Each structure stands twice: as C-alpha cells, then as structure tokens.
Amino acid sequence: MAQYDVIIIGSGPGGYVCAIRCAQLGLKTAVVEGRETLGGTCLNVGCIPSKAMLHATHSLHEAEHNFAKMGLKGKSPSVDWKQMLAYKDDVIGQNTKGIEFLFKKNKVDWIKGWGSIPEAGKVKVGDDTHNAKHIIIASGSDSANVPGAEVEIDEKVIVTSTGALELASIPKTMVVVGGGVIGLELGSVYARLGTDVTVIEYLDAITPGQDAEVAKQFQRLLQKQGLKFITGAGVSKVEAKGGKATVNYALRKNDSQHELKADTVLVATGRKPHTEGLGLDGLGIKMTKRGQIAVDDGYATSVEGIYAIGDVIEGPMLAHKAEDEGMALAEILAGQAGHVNYDVIPGVIYTHPEVASVGMTEEQLKEEGRDYKVGKFSFMGNGRAKANFAGDGFVKMLADAKTDRILGCHVIGPMAGDLIHEVCVAMEFGAAAEDLARTCHAHPTYSEAMREAALACGDGAIHA
Ligand SMILES: Cc1cc2nc3c(=O)[nH]c(=O)nc-3n(C[C@H](O)[C@H](O)[C@H](O)COP(=O)(O)OP(=O)(O)OC[C@H]3O[C@@H](n4cnc5c(N)ncnc54)[C@H](O)[C@@H]3O)c2cc1C
C-alpha cells in the first residue's frame, strides 16, 4: 500500500477542495469516497441539483408571468418532467466528472469505497489498509428527522431533499416540514410547477436566524407566489398510506391538534453530522453535545494526526464554509498559516427573489447593546430591477454608529447571492459604509442598490 501524506475521507466540497490544495502544496494525497461519483452531498444531491431545478422552474415562472408583459406572446412552455430531471442529472454529471478531472490533473488518488479508521495513521477501505501521516474526516451530513416524531421516510411519498429531487411525478399537494433554506428552495420549485405547497414551521418565523425584517418580507413574497405557511406549529406524526401522506401537527399557542393530507411530504428539518461507520468510538475521538466531531482552531481532533472539516464539525452547514476549512487545513498541514474568518461567511437562499446575508443581524446587534446605524434601500428605486420585474425587496446595511465600519448586510432581491460578495470583501478589509458609498458602481446594475444602502448609512440615498 502506498504511504500518503494525507488521506481524506469524503469528497464533498470540504474533502475535494482540501485534497486539491494539499496536492498543490506538494503533499501526496488520496480521497476515500463511497459514492459512485465525487462531489459529496453538494454536487450529487444538494447545492447543484437544487439550483438546476430552481433555474428551470424560475424560467417557467418568467414565461408564465412576465413574457406577455414584454410583448412576448404565445403559449407558455409545458413541463416535460422527465426531461427536467434529465437536465438536472446532466448538470450533476458535468460537475462530478469535473472533480474527477481535477483529481487526475492534480494527481489526487481516489480510493473507491467506504473508509474507516482502525487507528491513527491508518484508513481501512474494504480489505485494504492505507497509511497516512494525516487523516482528515470530511464525511459530511445526512438529512435529520422530525424531532420527536421519528418519521419513516420512504423517499417516495415521505421524502428528504434527496427524494424531492427525483419524484416520479409532480405532486398536486405537498407539505414541507421545516421553513428553513432547503424546504423553501424545494417548496418554491414545486409551487412554480403548480403544486399546492404548505410549509409547517415550528418557530414563529421562517428562516430562523435570519434578520427578522428580511424574514418577514420573504414570507410575504413567497405567500404572493402561492406558498402557504403554518408557523408556530409542531409536527407530531407523518404517515404514508396508499400513496398519500397524513401530517399531524399542533399549534404551539393553544395546543390545538390539526391534520393535513398531501401527495408528498418533504421532511426538511435540517441536517445531522454523518459519523457512522468511521470507527470514532474505538478511537475515542471527542464529540460535541450535538454529535459533531470536536476540533481545535487548527481542525485537529482529540486524537493526534486526525482532523475534521465541513458539515461534520461545528458551524454553518454550507458548502463554501466546508471549502474554506479544506483550504485552511491543507495550508496548516503544509506548514502555512491557514485561517477561516467565521465572521464573514455569507448565507444565501436561491429562491426568487434571492435572500443573502453576511455578518450580524439587527437583532444580534441589539442583543449585544451595540450602537449601530441602518442604511436601507428598496429595489423599487433601482432602474435595472424595475425593468426586469425585480423591484420586490431591499438592501439593509448595518454599520457601527461611531466608526461607520460595516457590521452586516442583509439583502432580499434580484441576484442577492452575488451582490452580497461586495460587502464580504469590504468587511474583510474592515471597510466603512462610506468606502462602499464612494466606490463607483456601473449603471444600470442591481449593485447600485448596495451602494445606495451604503449611502443611506451616511447623508442619504439618492434614489430613495
Ligand atoms: C438539498 C440541499 C441543498 C443545498 N444547497 C446548498 C447551497 O445552495 N449552498 C451551500 O453552501 N450549501 C448547500 N447545501 C449544504 C451543502 O451541501 C453541505 O454543506 C456541503 O455539501 C458539506 O460539505 P462536506 O464536504 O462537509 O460534506 P458532503 O458534501 O456531505 O460530503 C461528504 C461525502 O463523504 C462521503 N462519505 C461519508 N462517509 C464516508 C466513509 N466512511 N467513506 C467514504 N466516503 C464517505 C459521502 O458519501 C459524501 O459524498 C445543500 C444541502 C442540501 C441537502
């Protein structure tokens, strides 16, 4: 067996990015992956396929709702569901093959199969044992179940996000359990396809942790698109019978019991770290209370020579967070100073409009007793947005009241997921809102709304 500098278990965005960076820095590297294809949850059943379905159904929405307004007349496209799924699978294939190509280009070995760690320095895959100076666990996460209900998921009638990305047909009715990012993205996909979608959320507002003003506007806009919401409700039972599902829930305010029937139930109550089968108990690796692998600032576990990154450790379960940790750890192992700034990790919801945020929310600033100012700008005042039927939403910039340093930014509007990055860069450089406000922005672009919100932190926006 070859002796490696690094063996990584898992080829998701954490594992594959880490492997490529390790190889680029001169470390002999292998990745163990049990799936048929590389790329992990993100490329196979997560970020990429969900965005393909959002793109396809958003195009349909545009054709149905906005084409005629622009003088583009004629029948709206009809949906060929099999072809839409084939398009999504093709997108997955292109991306996963792309990682295979990058592995070959960078001389990263793919050890196919499920790996476990019998002892530090060794990874067992099937009957083979491979040796490595450093072992990195990047085994990702799995869909979580409904807390306290332990629903039997068949991935046909009662599905996780994985099943929701390959339903046999478009359901007439769908209940989504959980008003978080995944539930709302996939709920939007089906609502645009004509499914009657009801979202049940335990808390009183959707997208927990989001800036409250943004969350409120977001729910309002999704309701306008036909999604129904039941908030402050705990689901106690979900059962499938004869190809249909029944959902039982109780409203938290008065404990009243209710029932809903649906063709499909999507359980989207979050994700849990995937740690089974790795042999962690035998190694005595310390875990957090929430079942994640505990690591120090350099991603080292409690066992020397074993590290962990991505969804399997603490922090937001996001592909780019996993990627950044992968790069940072590769640099640390190569003797460099790898580092992730957890204060500047953007979060995006790829619905229409998109929702994006970075840094602190207004609620967090209030809780910390910080002296802050708010600069807001509506996309209604943005010429490009008005032309593109994208005037719904706003930018909210939060800056320190005295120093004007940007503390956070929350956007609901067109291309919010791309716009947010100018604030990420600004925050990395410790910029003030005025720095952003004084930067020339091309006209007509959505990004002018970012500048206007920054101007609103000072003497005022121009187009408000
Ligand atoms: C529907 C959906 C949509 C999402 N959309 C987004 C989005 O738009 N943006 C975003 O940032 N995040 C999104 N996410 C979250 C994102 O997919 C994860 O945060 C990300 O994939 C985590 O990367 P990772 O490398 O930690 O693990 P994963 O991507 O989960 O990869 C882990 C890999 O390890 C493999 N593995 C596990 N155990 C073993 C073993 N013992 N031996 C061999 N292989 C093993 C698994 O097969 C898997 O391929 C989405 C998730 C879902 C489910």
Side-chain angles (χ1 to χ4, degrees):
M1 288 300 121
Q3 168 73 42
Y4 290 97
D5 293 315
V6 181
I7 294 182
I8 301 163
I9 300 180
S11 72
Y16 86 73
V17 168
C18 185
I20 292 170
R21 186 50 116 220
C22 283
Q24 286 171 339
L25 296 175
L27 301 171
K28 188 169 168 50
T29 308
V31 171
V32 182
E33 175 55 64
R35 267 180 217 272
E36 295 293 306
T37 48
L38 299 172
T41 303
C42 174
L43 269 56
N44 289 283
V45 291
C47 324
I48 295 297
S50 59
K51 265 79 256 177
M53 297 302 279
L54 281 159
H55 175 65
T57 54
H58 178 60
S59 305
L60 175 69
H61 179 91
E62 285 294 288
E64 285 175 344
H65 296 270
N66 292 330
F67 275 17
K69 289 184 206 160
M70 294 184 284
L72 301 171
K73 301 243 165 122
K75 249 179 97 197
S76 291
S78 59
V79 177
D80 178 342
W81 180 238
K82 280 214 172 85
Q83 179 55 33
M84 199 179 278
L85 294 182
Y87 149 71
K88 180 248 328 171
D89 290 339
D90 184 50
V91 172
I92 294 173
Q94 286 179 38
N95 280 278
T96 56
K97 283 267 174 271
I99 307 300
E100 250 184 274
F101 164 79
L102 290 174
F103 274 13
K104 283 193 188 120
K105 185 178 160 200
N106 288 284
K107 301 193 171 44
V108 172
D109 289 344
W110 174 6
I111 303 171
K112 295 184 183 182
W114 299 101
S116 58
I117 311 170
E119 59 184 280
K122 295 194 187 311
V123 176
K124 196 168 179 301
V125 185
D127 294 333
D128 298 330
T129 301
H130 306 264
N131 301 313
K133 203 163 146 204
H134 308 291
I135 296 170
I136 301 172
I137 303 170
S139 52
S141 60
D142 299 311
S143 301
N145 209 302
V146 182
E150 285 318 306
V151 175
E152 207 173 298
I153 288 164
D154 58 18
E155 295 294 10
K156 285 189 170 59
V157 176
I158 303 173
V159 298
T160 65
S161 55
T162 302
L165 287 165
E166 51 186 22
L167 291 179
S169 58
I170 301 167
K172 283 201 170 56
T173 49
M174 174 182 269
V175 170
V176 177
V177 184
V181 178
I182 293 175
L184 297 178
E185 286 187 355
L186 292 174
S188 281
V189 163
Y190 284 98
R192 292 169 189 169
L193 291 167
T195 305
D196 184 327
V197 176
T198 305
V199 179
I200 305 181
E201 165 58 47
Y202 183 78
L203 297 174
D204 293 330
I206 59 170
T207 59
Q210 188 76 242
D211 191 273
E213 213 176 338
V214 171
K216 209 166 148 195
Q217 170 87 332
F218 187 35
Q219 183 171 336
R220 208 176 56 77
L221 291 175
L222 290 176
Q223 273 162 345
K224 248 171 76 181
Q225 293 168 23
L227 279 93
K228 296 176 192 147
F229 290 92
I230 300 167
T231 52
V235 167
S236 53
K237 200 162 116 191
V238 184
E239 261 181 348
K241 214 174 178 186
K244 296 244 178 214
T246 310
V247 181
N248 292 92
Y249 66 93
L251 290 180
R252 289 197 296 124
K253 62 180 177 202
N254 54 14
D255 213 22
S256 57
Q257 305 291 317
H258 303 264
E259 188 180 284
L260 269 180
K261 295 217 182 286
D263 295 332
T264 306
V265 174
L266 165 59
V267 174
T269 42
R271 299 193 50 89
K272 58 176 190 333
H274 177 96
T275 53
E276 297 88 63
L278 291 163
L280 300 187
D281 283 351
L283 291 163
I285 284 188
K286 274 206 189 106
M287 308 295 284
T288 69
K289 280 194 191 111
R290 299 186 56 215
Q292 300 135 324
I293 297 176
V295 291
D296 68 11
D297 287 349
Y299 308 103
T301 69
S302 56
V303 174
E304 210 183 324
I306 303 179
Y307 305 79
I309 54 170
D311 277 10
V312 82
I313 66 169
E314 263 177 328
M317 288 174 143
L318 292 169
H320 42 284
K321 176 257 191 191
E323 287 182 31
D324 281 18
E325 289 175 346
M327 271 204 282
L329 177 53
E331 287 164 6
I332 291 167
L333 297 181
Q336 300 182 359
H339 171 72
V340 176
N341 180 3
Y342 289 95
D343 290 337
V344 185
I345 294 188
V348 180
I349 310 174
Y350 298 83
T351 45
H352 192 80
E354 290 185 351
V355 177
S357 57
V358 66
M360 299 180 83
T361 63
E362 199 171 349
E363 290 68 39
Q364 285 171 328
L365 290 171
K366 276 188 188 141
E367 210 176 292
E368 284 193 7
R370 297 279 293 264
D371 208 3
Y372 66 93
K373 52 188 172 176
V374 184
K376 259 180 82 177
F377 187 77
S378 163
F379 278 99
M380 282 298 178
N382 178 274
R384 184 74 178 277
K386 269 200 290 231
N388 296 358
F389 311 107
D392 280 333
F394 57 85
V395 180
K396 178 174 177 179
M397 194 83 63
L398 300 165
D400 186 277
K402 281 194 201 77
T403 65
D404 195 36
R405 190 180 175 134
I406 301 172
L407 301 173
C409 183
H410 307 276
V411 187
I412 175 164
M415 304 294 285
D418 288 272
L419 296 178
I420 198 72
H421 294 98
E422 78 168 283
V423 181
C424 296
V425 175
M427 286 178 75
E428 283 290 358
F429 283 85
E434 188 181 346
D435 293 320
L436 221 154
R438 287 191 183 276
T439 305
C440 184
H441 284 61
H443 175 76
T445 58
Y446 297 135
S447 68
E448 287 173 287
M450 306 297 278
R451 182 193 201 179
E452 293 269 23
L455 278 165
C457 285
D459 294 333
I462 301 297
H463 296 91

